[in-house]
């Protein structure tokens, strides 16, 4: 799933390549992906893209102040950029393309989604705050106002596992499954630690790990075209999606806990005192 660093990389790329260009046409390849009808997607035709920005894991392409193309790539979505956009006709339901956007210099992009579970979402709105997922976003962890004190306040009173809290977009915007694994590994913290029970030193460590992990990942994504961002993300992972490999810090074997539609990865030596986590959602450390 694209998370904040990759989405920021895509936003930076679109700022450099699409801002200032005019949208010639759009073609919807997956009707279910288009979540709005007023304004219609055809309202974008002839509109100049004036800005590209990121809100959590959403990308916002603005055409002036009152028309915006917003999309969320979900778990299996991606943006495929073309310097010369294909002219083949998109047949709804017959390809992975959810939306095609053609620009006035013959370039453009497709929003694509792999797999059978379709969650990619596209919105055409007058105000990005009309998108429900944006309206309920928590603060951006790399925002200038996101301090250690703000972070500590978000943890207080929340008797929930820290892994889930980091992934909760209404608490902190932009972090998903992969980077929460990486942050917790860097902080030497169990994914099952309870947020409200963390001591000051643990909160300090977690905040520092969050800032460093995300800042480094955003820097790594910066300047890369969309086609290179996924590989860059994989190369930067220390534990996520590395089950069975050696932890780069201590050499222990990276373990997984599997859930219905995802897994988490962690290092027992670095994060759980050497004890493996039982492989079920509500488990505690094995005795």
């Amino acid at each position: 799933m694209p998370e904040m660093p990759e989405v920021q990389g895509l936003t930076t790329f679109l700022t450099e390549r699409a801002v200032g260009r005019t949208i010639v046409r759009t073609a919807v390849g997956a009707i279910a992906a288009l979540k709005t009808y007023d304004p219609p997607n055809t309202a974008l035709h002839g509109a100049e893209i004036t800005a590209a920005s990121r809100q959590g894991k959403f990308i916002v392409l603005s055409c002036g102040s009152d028309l915006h193309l917003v999309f969320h790539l979900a778990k299996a979505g991606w943006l495929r950029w073309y310097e010369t956009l294909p002219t083949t006709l998109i047949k709804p339901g017959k390809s992975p393309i959810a939306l095609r956007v053609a620009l006035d210099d013959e370039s453009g992009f497709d929003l694509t989604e792999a797999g059978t579970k379709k969650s990619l979402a596209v919105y055409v709105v007058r105000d990005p705050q009309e998108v429900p997922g944006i309206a309920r976003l928590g603060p951006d962890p790399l925002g200038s106002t996101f301090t250690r004190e703000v972070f500590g306040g978000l943890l207080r009173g929340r008797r929930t596992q820290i892994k889930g809290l980091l992934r909760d977009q209404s608490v902190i915007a932009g972090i998903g499954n992969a980077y929460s694994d990486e942050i917790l590994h860097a902080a030497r913290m169990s994914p099952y630690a309870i947020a409200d029970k963390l001591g000051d030193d643990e909160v300090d460590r977690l905040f520092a790990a969050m800032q460093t992990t995300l800042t480094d990942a955003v820097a790594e994504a910066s300047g890369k075209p969309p086609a290179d961002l996924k590989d860059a993300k994989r190369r930067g992972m220390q534990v996520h999606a590395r089950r069975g490999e050696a932890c780069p810090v201590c050499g222990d074997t990276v373990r997984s806990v599997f859930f219905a539609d995802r897994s988490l990865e962690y290092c027992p030596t670095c994060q759980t005192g050497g004890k493996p986590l039982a492989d079920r959602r509500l488990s505690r450390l094995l005795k």
Side-chain angles (χ1 to χ4, degrees):
M1 176 184 292
E3 299 179 31
M4 179 224 281
E6 297 78 50
V7 174
Q8 184 59 53
L10 291 172
T11 302
T12 300
F13 177 85
L14 290 170
T15 297
E16 296 170 350
R17 191 60 188 81
V19 169
R21 303 253 59 101
T22 296
I23 298 174
V24 175
R25 65 184 180 278
T26 60
V28 178
I31 301 300
L34 187 60
K35 306 301 182 183
T36 54
Y37 62 91
D38 182 26
N41 64 289
T42 53
L44 297 165
H45 299 178
E48 179 185 343
I49 300 173
T50 56
S53 59
R54 177 185 61 80
Q55 298 281 341
K57 291 187 257 185
F58 291 84
I59 292 177
V60 180
L61 290 181
S62 298
C63 300
S65 60
D66 57 0
L67 185 62
H68 309 269
L69 171 62
V70 182
F71 52 92
H72 188 291
L73 296 171
K75 186 173 183 178
W78 197 243
L79 184 149
R80 185 180 300 168
W81 177 266
Y82 300 93
E83 290 300 329
T84 301
L85 193 68
T87 57
T88 52
L89 183 66
I90 298 174
K91 297 181 180 180
K94 302 297 183 180
S95 84
I97 299 171
L99 179 73
R100 172 166 288 176
V101 177
L103 303 179
D104 59 354
D105 64 348
E106 299 187 352
S107 69
F109 61 89
D110 289 337
L111 299 182
T112 65
E113 188 170 23
T116 57
K117 185 177 180 181
K118 303 300 184 182
S119 303
L120 186 147
V122 178
Y123 308 81
V124 181
V125 292
R126 297 179 178 87
D127 183 341
Q129 290 298 314
E130 295 174 20
V131 177
I134 290 180
R136 60 174 176 262
L137 284 175
D140 191 294
L142 294 185
S144 59
T145 61
F146 192 83
T147 62
R148 157 63 175 82
E149 290 68 29
V150 169
F151 180 55
L154 293 175
L155 301 181
R156 282 195 293 272
R158 295 184 186 271
R159 297 186 57 81
T160 186
Q161 293 172 352
I162 192 64
K163 165 78 175 179
L165 184 141
L166 291 176
R167 296 178 64 245
D168 188 337
Q169 299 304 295
S170 67
V171 178
I172 302 172
I175 301 172
N177 196 39
Y179 286 102
S180 57
D181 280 352
E182 295 298 299
I183 289 166
L184 290 168
H185 178 253
R188 307 186 304 281
M189 185 173 295
S190 169
Y192 291 170
I194 301 302
D196 187 47
K197 292 187 176 181
L198 297 180
D200 288 342
D201 289 347
E202 292 174 306
V203 176
D204 290 344
R205 200 164 71 236
L206 185 57
F207 180 75
M210 180 189 305
Q211 296 293 300
T212 300
T213 299
L214 295 177
T215 298
D216 289 351
V218 168
E220 180 63 25
S222 179
K224 288 184 170 58
D228 295 343
L229 285 172
K230 289 183 180 181
D231 286 341
K233 176 181 180 178
R234 293 188 190 101
R235 287 194 301 269
M237 295 289 112
Q238 300 288 295
V239 292
H240 182 76
R242 295 195 180 278
R243 180 170 68 98
E245 299 182 21
C247 169
V249 174
C250 72
D252 194 0
T253 301
V254 174
R255 313 287 184 92
S256 292
V257 177
F258 291 94
F259 304 109
D261 60 349
R262 63 180 176 87
S263 66
L264 66 82
E265 278 76 46
Y266 69 101
C267 169
T269 294
C270 291
Q271 295 175 252
T272 60
K275 298 179 180 180
L277 297 170
D279 192 7
R280 60 183 184 274
R281 183 180 294 272
L282 299 178
S283 69
R284 296 178 180 273
L285 289 175
L286 290 176
K287 300 298 183 182

